Amino acid sequence: MTHAPATLLAAMIDGTLSSDDEQALMDAARHDPAVMADLLDLLEADAIFRWEARAAAKVRIETRRPPRPLPQGEHPRTVGVSAVAAALLLATAAIAIYLFALTPDPRPLIPDAFPLATVLGTSPGSTLIANDTIVNPGTEFTRGETSLDTGSAEFRLDNGVNVRLTGTTRLIVHDPMRATLAAGAARFECPADAVGFQVAVPGGRIIDQGTAFDVEIDASGHARVGVIEGRVDLRSTASTEPVSLGEGELGVLYADGALARGIPLPPPIVTYDLAPLPTSPAGKPSTGTHVDRINRPAAVIDDPAIPDGDWTVSLWFRRQSPQLDPHTVYLAAVGNRTSIDPGWSIVIGSGRGELGGRLVVRLSSGAQVAAATGPVITDTRWHHVAMVYDRAAGRVRGFLDGSANAWTPGGGGAQTDRVSPPLSTDFSEPLRLGLIADNVGAGQPPVPIRLRDVQVFHHALSPLQLRAAYRPHGDAATHHATDDPTYPPPVSPSLSEGDLQR
Amino acid sequence: MSMRFSERQQRFSQQLTGCQDRLYAYISALVASPDAVDEVLQRANVVILRKADEYDEAAPFVAWACKIAYYEVLGWRRDRSRDRLRFDDAFVATLAEAAAERSVDFDDRRRTLRRCMGKLSEDQRSMLLRRYTPGESVQQIAESVGRPVASVSQALYRIRRVLVECVRRAMSEDPA
């Protein structure tokens, strides 16, 4: 009796095909392309399931097995070439197992009850959930999904990989060598023993080569990657050629598998390079741009195009003297002429006040103030400063030279960097660039600070995007690639500097 | 003593480790027993490593590796010519050609297959996972659920068909 192709195919996959049926199946496949296509698809699916099931089981066993201690007095022996080859093959197979990340799947192929991570800490007000359970510092958890609502949380996998989640983030830990970042941002610090640790993202995988690196997934599923130290490989689902990123380098693994070095920024709404402003015959800006300490800014932009939503204002500034100004200097401001006036500002606090010359970003409705305080800058190099407003979170953040590390909540009367409910930023005020505090009289020495490349973005740029804004070429060396060693790389080569000291 | 690899060796190593799943699937199409697949894959890896210097980097790596794997399959079949082997040599050659061509889109199909798994019912998914748990067989599943082996085999077949059709649909909608 000849069975239907479906029966033959089912028996073939499950290994119960008789000799006669096998001949019938071959005949059917030879004469019917549809049967051949079914045969190939079923064989491939069967192989994939076996491969993944075996890999998952192998990883589970290997990660739980303690190292065998050498008996006292025993020394490693010289091994033959065949043993080395076998070891290489095993290593190759092990690496291969780790290289093939599963796509995000909250249900692991093989359940694993063994804990593989320990929570190190969470920031105040944040909640870390692992496998549907809130976990606190010291708690161990098993493979599966971890999610963070806000703030930051840190945990360590049992192979020493340190994972720090920031903001609303979902990370699926498959095993100590593989995780999938489904949303949000995370930093991974991998010890030498964990070389090969990989993070799957929608467009491919990020494979550690002994390093620490940041990954952010944006709303479109694109993964931005920044290497802090060491090296990582970006391996796309669409390409066999990985892109290798070294220390300080940035890259993007797009959701469709495309790879790029560097992180492109969204186009700014507007860029003010200050140079095109009309100037007087004496070489000074002609209209409302003379800083004479009677409340007149270096530049006024009547329609600054600041959206009433998420935004980022980014600029470069340089002190021309290390001496701190006795008055507050507004590098950029819309309203907000005192810390509680409605509006927002990026300021250098008065050298005499409690801020002691620190950088401050501040947003105020009059009743509510959100602010963040940064470091004191006394050198005369060019620095990049950015203020980011995340409307949904009601949060302002400051970044200096691509980093938010030195910034703390509060400053100028504010106790927090958040406001609730989030503020509208439609202040109907012009944008003023380079402004001295209102109550300073004329005739005093000019402000020895210069500004350039002021940009407004209709996005709350991410930390890695701001790192890219600070390093537009992804290479710290470019900061010194001009005649003036204190000069930053221009945002655009055609832009020239503006100067508050007029 | 530290050992340094040339860039070419590193690239070669990355490509070899990066195509292990494809090689496994390729060999699985030609060899029935899972143990035999492992054995042939290991043999093929040895030969691929040995022939690393002969590899022309301008050529597609997976196609080159599949060719070597195919010869290892033939060698393995020759060694076991007295055993009952799945399919005759001519049919294996036909399958090998078709399977090598499919390796180009393998990653897409594998990813799509995982997504399609999410569309199965809990019972279907559970049964399939159990089938592929190491040590489990169709016979064991049949015994535990009190159903004939053929019935379980057909149920598994229907699940696989659902997945295969899902992958085909997804691939035709988004061939990239």
Side-chain angles (χ1 to χ4, degrees):
Chain A
M1 185 180 73
T2 302
H3 293 101
T7 305
L8 299 176
L9 289 166
M12 180 205 64
I13 294 295
D14 290 325
T16 56
L17 198 63
S18 69
S19 297
D20 288 346
D21 284 346
E22 182 182 295
Q23 188 58 51
L25 179 60
M26 285 192 289
D27 290 344
R30 282 183 176 120
H31 295 104
D32 186 345
V35 175
M36 178 59 97
D38 285 348
L39 175 63
L40 288 165
D41 279 340
L42 289 165
L43 284 169
E44 185 179 80
D46 181 61
I48 290 171
F49 288 135
R50 274 192 281 132
W51 173 268
E52 292 193 348
R54 194 182 60 158
K58 184 176 175 62
V59 168
R60 182 180 58 160
I61 292 165
E62 290 187 345
T63 54
R64 302 310 307 176
R65 184 183 298 149
R68 183 181 70 85
L70 283 174
Q72 208 167 15
E74 183 175 331
H75 298 288
R77 286 169 294 183
T78 304
V79 292
V81 174
S82 58
V84 171
L88 277 173
L89 281 171
L90 281 173
T92 301
I95 292 167
I97 286 163
Y98 292 138
L99 282 179
F100 307 125
L102 309 180
T103 51
D105 184 350
R107 292 170 293 186
L109 204 56
I110 304 296
D112 188 344
F114 290 106
L116 56 71
T118 307
V119 181
L120 300 179
T122 55
S123 63
S126 60
T127 304
L128 179 65
I129 295 174
N131 301 318
D132 301 325
T133 303
I134 295 175
V135 287
N136 297 307
T139 307
E140 291 185 328
F141 60 90
T142 61
R143 63 198 292 173
E145 180 170 331
T146 57
S147 61
L148 179 71
D149 55 349
T150 185
S152 62
E154 196 167 346
F155 58 85
R156 180 170 295 157
L157 304 179
D158 65 4
N159 59 348
V161 173
N162 229 52
V163 182
R164 184 183 179 86
L165 311 181
T166 304
T168 306
T169 298
R170 271 184 65 224
L171 180 80
I172 297 121
V173 179
H174 303 291
D175 56 60
M177 291 298 286
R178 298 181 310 164
T180 296
L181 185 61
R187 171 169 294 185
F188 302 90
E189 295 171 349
C190 305
D193 288 349
V195 167
F197 175 80
Q198 63 174 274
V199 180
V201 293
R205 301 187 297 277
I206 302 147
I207 302 164
D208 161 68
Q209 302 295 341
T211 187
F213 59 100
D214 291 320
V215 186
E216 299 170 349
I217 307 285
D218 72 11
S220 302
H222 307 318
R224 294 186 282 263
V225 182
V227 179
I228 300 159
E229 60 181 62
R231 180 164 289 278
V232 299
D233 289 340
L234 307 186
R235 186 177 287 273
S236 158
T237 53
S239 161
T240 55
E241 286 300 316
V243 166
S244 192
L245 298 180
E247 185 169 323
E249 291 186 315
L250 304 165
V252 183
L253 189 40
Y254 289 95
D256 65 1
L259 285 166
R261 288 183 179 278
I263 293 180
L265 298 180
I269 298 169
V270 67
T271 296
Y272 307 113
D273 63 12
L274 302 185
L277 291 172
T279 55
S280 69
K284 295 180 179 178
S286 60
T287 307
T289 54
H290 180 57
V291 179
D292 61 3
R293 292 189 176 271
I294 50 173
N295 189 22
R296 300 190 62 163
V300 176
I301 289 84
D302 289 328
D303 182 12
I306 307 291
D308 188 17
D310 293 349
W311 48 260
T312 299
V313 174
S314 144
L315 58 84
W316 290 85
F317 76 97
R318 177 189 173 195
R319 306 188 72 95
Q320 292 185 275
S321 160
Q323 189 177 356
L324 294 176
D325 197 283
H327 306 288
T328 300
V329 178
Y330 289 71
L331 297 176
V334 168
N336 203 208
R337 307 291 284 279
T338 70
S339 61
I340 59 170
D341 284 345
W344 61 264
S345 56
I346 303 173
V347 307
I348 299 175
S350 159
R352 291 177 179 165
E354 63 183 68
L355 293 173
R358 292 181 183 280
L359 280 163
V360 177
V361 294
R362 180 189 296 144
L363 173 66
S364 170
S365 67
Q368 292 193 85
V369 181
T373 302
V376 178
I377 300 295
T378 55
D379 64 55
T380 57
R381 299 178 62 81
W382 281 96
H383 291 280
H384 179 255
V385 63
M387 175 176 180
V388 181
Y389 181 50
D390 180 342
R391 174 89 185 266
R395 186 181 189 193
V396 296
R397 298 185 75 187
F399 287 80
L400 178 69
D401 296 339
S403 170
N405 290 346
W407 294 73
T408 55
Q415 298 304 309
T416 177
D417 58 356
R418 294 170 196 277
V419 285
S420 180
L423 299 184
S424 162
T425 52
D426 182 12
F427 293 111
S428 303
E429 289 262 358
L431 169 62
R432 293 178 170 84
L433 303 174
L435 177 67
I436 308 304
D438 284 0
N439 57 353
V440 179
Q444 296 188 23
V447 181
I449 291 176
R450 300 162 88 184
L451 281 179
R452 58 172 291 162
D453 296 339
V454 181
Q455 291 186 300
V456 178
F457 297 88
H458 195 167
H459 299 268
L461 295 187
S462 72
L464 283 179
Q465 285 177 313
L466 284 160
R467 208 181 293 172
Y470 173 56
R471 296 179 172 180
H473 306 294
D475 179 357
T478 57
H479 287 271
H480 308 287
T482 62
D483 293 334
D484 179 352
T486 65
Y487 221 68
V491 175
S492 156
S494 65
L495 299 181
S496 57
E497 66 177 304
D499 189 347
L500 296 191
Q501 192 181 327
R502 295 184 193 276
Chain B
M1 184 180 73
S2 67
M3 189 159 49
R4 293 185 67 81
F5 292 100
S6 69
E7 283 189 13
R8 179 187 158 88
Q9 286 171 321
Q10 285 182 25
R11 282 196 301 275
F12 189 88
S13 168
Q14 283 173 341
Q15 291 186 106
L16 178 57
T17 54
C19 77
Q20 289 292 295
D21 55 349
R22 272 175 281 189
L23 284 178
Y24 184 87
Y26 175 80
I27 295 166
S28 292
L30 312 180
V31 174
S33 149
D35 290 342
V37 175
D38 288 338
E39 184 185 336
V40 174
L41 176 61
Q42 189 175 4
R43 283 187 185 189
N45 278 331
V46 171
V47 178
I48 289 167
L49 286 170
R50 203 179 286 151
K51 290 178 176 285
D53 290 341
E54 298 173 22
Y55 170 59
D56 175 2
E57 289 193 296
F61 183 85
V62 174
W64 179 76
C66 282
K67 205 170 187 177
I68 291 173
Y70 176 59
Y71 286 118
E72 290 309 308
V73 169
L74 294 184
W76 179 87
R77 287 175 66 90
R78 211 170 32 244
D79 294 346
R80 282 156 186 75
S81 55
R82 290 183 181 175
D83 301 340
R84 187 188 159 221
L85 299 170
R86 186 174 74 183
F87 304 140
D88 59 37
D89 287 350
F91 193 72
V92 166
T94 305
L95 277 180
E97 192 177 343
E101 285 174 9
R102 291 164 59 89
S103 68
V104 177
D105 300 327
F106 177 83
D107 284 344
D108 287 337
R109 280 196 306 278
R110 192 168 78 123
R111 201 168 50 250
T112 306
L113 182 64
R114 296 283 310 178
R115 281 204 299 272
C116 289
M117 285 278 285
K119 296 182 178 175
L120 296 178
S121 71
E122 197 57 46
D123 286 347
Q124 288 176 319
R125 184 185 167 88
S126 171
M127 184 178 222
L128 194 65
L129 294 187
R130 185 167 173 198
R131 167 67 183 84
Y132 288 100
T133 299
E136 286 277 8
S137 66
V138 177
Q139 285 80 359
Q140 284 171 314
I141 296 171
E143 284 171 19
S144 68
V145 298
R147 289 166 60 186
V149 169
S151 165
V152 172
S153 187
Q154 273 301 316
L156 284 166
Y157 175 75
R158 281 193 292 273
I159 296 169
R160 293 185 184 108
R161 287 291 321 191
V162 168
L163 292 172
V164 164
E165 291 303 328
C166 173
V167 171
R168 285 178 180 170
R169 258 196 320 275
M171 294 294 289
S172 64
E173 286 166 7
D174 182 16

